[in-house]
Amino acid sequence: IYTYSALISACEKGGQWEKALHFLDLMQQRGVAPNIVTFGAAIAACGKAGEFDTALGLFEEAQRRGLKPTVVTHTAIITACHVAGKWDEALEIFDAMPARGVEPNSITYNIVIATLASTGQLKKAFELFDDMQRRGFQPDVVTYNGLITSCAEYGHWHKAADLFDELRNRDIQPNANTYTAILAACDAGGLHDKKEEVIAEVLQRGMDIIIPKHPEE
């Protein structure tokens, strides 16, 4: 079973979801029953490829077989929701985790927050952002990047700037994605002083990113 799980996991990393399903079928034809790790790898392969319905079907099939989804399994199916832009399904699966005896981890929180934020559900995203911290999980640069990017996209430019300042006050190192997101927010929202401040920081750090310019510049 470990060999098949490894093969399916390799398919996931290689973006070969159909091949992952082939190995899942093949192992059962040969009398080897998949476990939750095997199903999780297949769910991840399908989810990352945008095959949401297939991923969800595998998630439900695993439970029908009496297998208990782990936090990794839940994170895989929520990632599938994220890729497909299905925030309501992501939140439903996340909310059902305690009833299944599974506690989310920081990775699970990050992907649900990213799913909500990227689909414009910012109020719900920030509620979950607060909840993760109340439960002892500290947001990281991935958490902030998702929120800043979505605030920039949906017109909450000052909130994006506040999040950027909050990130730095927590001694979290911004990365190229952070700078790209905050500069987009500054550009769209006319936050010229903040933009100049960020550009100076980018240049000081020698970051290789595209700095947006106004038409008049």
Side-chain angles (χ1 to χ4, degrees), residues 77-129:
I77 189 61
I78 292 171
T79 299
C81 296
H82 175 68
V83 173
K86 295 182 178 292
W87 69 267
D88 45 351
E89 284 92 340
L91 196 57
E92 181 181 340
I93 292 166
F94 178 82
D95 287 342
M97 288 178 70
R100 297 190 179 111
V102 183
E103 290 296 321
N105 58 23
S106 59
I107 299 173
T108 319
Y109 268 106
N110 275 346
I111 195 65
V112 179
I113 290 170
T115 304
L116 292 168
S118 65
T119 51
Q121 303 298 319
L122 284 168
K123 183 175 183 294
K124 295 180 187 295
F126 279 108
E127 287 173 355
L128 216 55
F129 179 68

Side-chain angles (χ1 to χ4, degrees), residues 12-178:
E12 176 239 318
K13 291 177 174 61
Q16 298 175 304
W17 68 275
E18 290 173 307
K19 194 169 282 188
L21 294 182
H22 166 73
F23 285 124
L24 185 65
D25 288 338
L26 182 63
M27 68 184 294
Q28 294 174 86
Q29 290 170 19
R30 294 181 175 177
V32 182
N35 61 17
I36 196 62
V37 175
T38 320
F39 269 107
I43 290 166
C46 294
K48 289 179 180 179
E51 299 294 326
F52 173 74
D53 290 339
T54 305
L56 184 61
L58 291 170
F59 183 69
E60 293 171 345
E61 174 65 20
Q63 293 173 84
R64 281 195 295 270
R65 295 189 183 197
L67 299 174
K68 181 181 177 182
T70 65
V71 65
V72 174
T73 323
H74 282 88
T75 303
I77 189 61
I78 292 171
T79 299
C81 296
H82 175 68
V83 173
K86 295 182 178 292
W87 69 267
D88 45 351
E89 284 92 340
L91 196 57
E92 181 181 340
I93 292 166
F94 178 82
D95 287 342
M97 288 178 70
R100 297 190 179 111
V102 183
E103 290 296 321
N105 58 23
S106 59
I107 299 173
T108 319
Y109 268 106
N110 275 346
I111 195 65
V112 179
I113 290 170
T115 304
L116 292 168
S118 65
T119 51
Q121 303 298 319
L122 284 168
K123 183 175 183 294
K124 295 180 187 295
F126 279 108
E127 287 173 355
L128 216 55
F129 179 68
D130 292 338
D131 182 61
M132 76 178 290
Q133 295 173 81
R134 280 195 300 269
R135 298 185 64 177
F137 296 105
Q138 293 304 312
D140 58 18
V141 69
V142 175
T143 323
Y144 279 100
N145 284 356
L147 290 171
I148 292 170
T149 299
S150 295
C151 284
E153 182 179 352
Y154 289 99
H156 300 279
W157 306 303
H158 289 280
K159 182 63 176 175
D162 290 343
L163 286 166
F164 182 75
D165 290 340
E166 181 181 310
L167 173 147
R168 291 191 299 183
N169 290 337
R170 289 187 168 195
D171 293 325
I172 299 172
Q173 187 82 285
N175 60 23
N177 290 336
T178 321

